[in-house]
Amino acid sequence: MKKSLKVIALVAAMAATMASFASCSGDSNSSAATDGSSSSAAATDGESSASGNSGEVVNLSWIQIGGQPNDVDLVMDTLNEYTAEQIGVTCDITYLDWGVWGDRVKAMLQGGEPFDIMFNDATVYTSAVDLGRFAALDDLLSEVPDLEAFIPDLAWEGVTYHDAIYGVPTYKDNTQTQYWVWDQNLVEQYDIPYEDIHTLAEMDPYIRQLQDEINAGNVTTSQYAFYMTRDGINGQFMNYDASPTGTHIGVRYDDETATVVRIMEQPEMMETYQYLHEWYNAGIINPDAATLTTGPSYVIVGSAQGFPGAEVGWGSGRGVPVVIEPWGGPVWSNGTIQGSINSISSSSEHQVEALKYLQLINLDEYARNTLVYGIEGTHYTKNDDGTITQDEVKRSDYSPAGYAQATFMTMYPVAPNPATMYDPDLIEWNNSGETSVLLGFNFDRTPVENQLAACNVVCQSYDYNIYTGAVDPNTAIPEMYAALESAGLKDIEEELQRQINEFLGK
């Protein structure tokens, strides 16, 4: 069934992704059920929410992202035995490594290669629909009523394109919240009021103080107080929706007029890049930032997308305790909802079975936790409080990208996180988020594909230097937009605004 495109905005506040499961989260400056649904409807400890197997077993193929875990065969043999018994379906997962996933998926879609289920995101979703490669699910959702009810209406809104649903959104941290993540030891040592710091202007005196301490040899954990990689501050564009790749235009999520603007010219964005440029010239930012694709696991302070409780994982990743303070969000937008979608091939002969498999993987606790953590007693141990402890050796043999598989809400939290981390804590956090004025709007790129391709080339020559402060934004940003205009930006702006006005009934 098709979800309504007009949704009542929810109460304001903040949210988003845990480092170990979030596609867009990171622990450095380069990275990183609003209807009240809960996982209480999910089956527990082996009780399936789907009907048992009564016929021939169907084997599906699932395209996933990330490196192939060493123990994937061991885990999938165990899981397949269970899913075959529960719903008469098994699955073979093909992992496409992070570095090749984007190009490989596009080649598969354009070449018509077969699959049953494919993980995808905002970089793939609408273009794959335009190619006719993903099946419309509206008429099939009646086959999986528990899954349809479990996933919030706002999440279904976020994957609605041309008035239809072409994928199952992953119910997790569907709102986006960005945090400053600080080394707690240094915060305490230098009495940094981290809870009062939300902008770079507010951070400026403290980041300069820390760099002075580094230069004096008093801080030795990092050579630079604000270490960056080329993608810049994680979540820097979170306040803007409907922003086609390679254009730097969009609509601020809370702008009731839904006016398309040039994002990097906006005062708060320009101020950010001006501070970064000052810090770069002052030696606070590493000089190779604009060329780095990955950074160190430890940084003194960085931006990451997450939700309350994520500091446990971030601290573990850095090797020091951390303190966190949100600087943006939580916001429901198409971008954050479309960070993880699983779509079914339009040419699959087993579309209903694929949907039933996704329902089982999302709602059945045994299936969900086996898929994400591996085999109980081998890869993890369940604790009495509802959390798990992962085996320190075997966890390295099975660590798939959990955010790309299915919901967080039926996952066991990893100790020392609380047992309530996902349900109800994350559910309530999502419920507190604001809703973008353009939730449910997806840009149809086809009228301006050539202009978008040309603009993308322009942005590639400017972005990394601007993001990291390597160039003066007062010069570089006007130059970039002038070059974008020559590449057809005005055509894109006009088409984007036209489609937005049509979507809003203006």
Side-chain angles (χ1 to χ4, degrees), residues 103-114:
D103 291 340
R104 185 72 185 93
V105 160
K106 290 175 183 176
M108 291 183 68
L109 293 168
Q110 292 170 355
E113 293 186 40

Side-chain angles (χ1 to χ4, degrees), residues 209-219 222-225 300:
Q209 177 190 5
L210 287 169
Q211 190 62 48
D212 289 342
E213 295 296 323
I214 291 171
N215 295 342
N218 298 324
V219 174
S222 178
Q223 190 178 353
Y224 302 99
I300 291 173

Side-chain angles (χ1 to χ4, degrees), residues 35-282:
D35 56 3
S37 299
S38 81
S39 61
S40 60
T44 59
D45 295 328
E47 294 180 67
S48 173
S49 60
S51 59
N53 176 23
S54 59
E56 183 179 352
V57 173
V58 170
N59 188 55
L60 304 173
S61 61
W62 189 358
I63 307 300
Q64 267 288 337
I65 191 172
Q68 178 171 302
N70 294 335
D71 283 354
V72 62
D73 291 340
L74 174 66
V75 172
M76 291 308 297
D77 285 348
T78 300
L79 183 58
N80 282 337
E81 182 177 351
Y82 179 75
T83 61
E85 178 182 342
Q86 297 299 313
I87 58 171
V89 178
T90 59
C91 189
D92 292 328
I93 299 179
T94 298
Y95 288 91
L96 301 179
D97 202 63
W98 304 100
V100 303
W101 175 82
D103 291 340
R104 185 72 185 93
V105 160
K106 290 175 183 176
M108 291 183 68
L109 293 168
Q110 292 170 355
E113 293 186 40
F115 63 88
D116 292 301
I117 307 171
M118 175 181 282
F119 162 77
N120 64 101
D121 62 15
T123 67
V124 172
Y125 184 61
T126 58
S127 59
V129 172
D130 290 337
L131 286 171
R133 294 291 278 127
F134 290 163
L137 304 180
D138 304 72
D139 293 338
L140 300 179
L141 288 177
S142 60
E143 300 282 349
V144 286
D146 292 343
L147 179 64
E148 184 181 17
F150 174 72
I151 295 173
D153 285 353
L154 291 183
W156 290 115
E157 289 286 337
V159 295
T160 299
Y161 182 52
H162 293 321
D163 293 340
I165 292 167
Y166 292 90
V168 176
T170 302
Y171 180 24
K172 53 182 189 67
D173 49 336
N174 297 124
T175 54
Q176 182 175 359
T177 304
Q178 291 294 145
Y179 290 86
W180 291 123
V181 184
W182 293 84
D183 179 333
Q184 182 177 348
N185 296 327
L186 293 179
V187 164
E188 293 176 351
Q189 182 178 352
Y190 293 102
D191 196 25
I192 297 172
Y194 73 94
E195 292 174 310
D196 299 326
I197 296 173
H198 304 97
T199 66
L200 296 196
E202 294 166 343
M203 187 184 293
D204 184 67
Y206 304 101
I207 209 72
R208 291 181 184 275
Q209 177 190 5
L210 287 169
Q211 190 62 48
D212 289 342
E213 295 296 323
I214 291 171
N215 295 342
N218 298 324
V219 174
T220 59
T221 51
S222 178
Q223 190 178 353
Y224 302 99
F226 204 75
Y227 202 101
M228 303 188 79
T229 61
R230 69 182 192 178
D231 290 328
I233 295 174
N234 179 245
Q236 61 188 309
F237 301 121
M238 73 153 293
N239 288 329
Y240 293 87
D241 204 352
S243 180
T245 301
T247 62
H248 293 311
I249 61 174
V251 172
R252 189 175 164 90
Y253 79 91
D254 55 359
D255 176 13
E256 294 297 333
T257 69
T259 301
V260 175
V261 298
R262 297 184 176 185
I263 296 171
M264 297 176 81
E265 291 181 345
Q266 301 310 297
E268 79 277 13
M269 298 300 296
M270 183 63 79
E271 179 182 79
T272 292
Y273 298 124
Q274 287 168 343
Y275 272 104
L276 290 177
H277 185 53
E278 290 178 15
W279 294 356
Y280 184 90
N281 287 338

Side-chain angles (χ1 to χ4, degrees), residues 206 326 329 343 451:
Y206 304 101
S343 297
Q451 294 94 322

Side-chain angles (χ1 to χ4, degrees), residues 435-450:
T435 305
S436 168
V437 295
L438 289 182
L439 186 68
F441 170 78
N442 284 288
F443 183 47
D444 182 355
R445 302 165 52 95
T446 51
V448 286
E449 278 288 4
N450 292 335

Side-chain angles (χ1 to χ4, degrees), residues 334-385:
N334 288 354
T336 188
I337 292 168
Q338 292 182 13
S340 178
I341 308 169
N342 280 287
S343 297
I344 296 172
S345 172
S346 58
S347 60
S348 171
E349 298 179 357
H350 304 292
Q351 293 178 7
V352 171
E353 290 86 353
L355 262 182
K356 289 183 176 180
Y357 186 81
L358 289 175
Q359 175 171 260
L360 186 72
I361 291 300
N362 275 274
L363 301 188
D364 183 285
E365 285 190 6
Y366 175 81
R368 178 67 190 108
N369 287 283
T370 300
L371 183 63
V372 70
Y373 295 128
I375 300 170
E376 182 182 356
T378 299
H379 298 96
Y380 72 91
T381 302
K382 288 179 70 175
N383 302 318
D384 292 339
D385 65 354

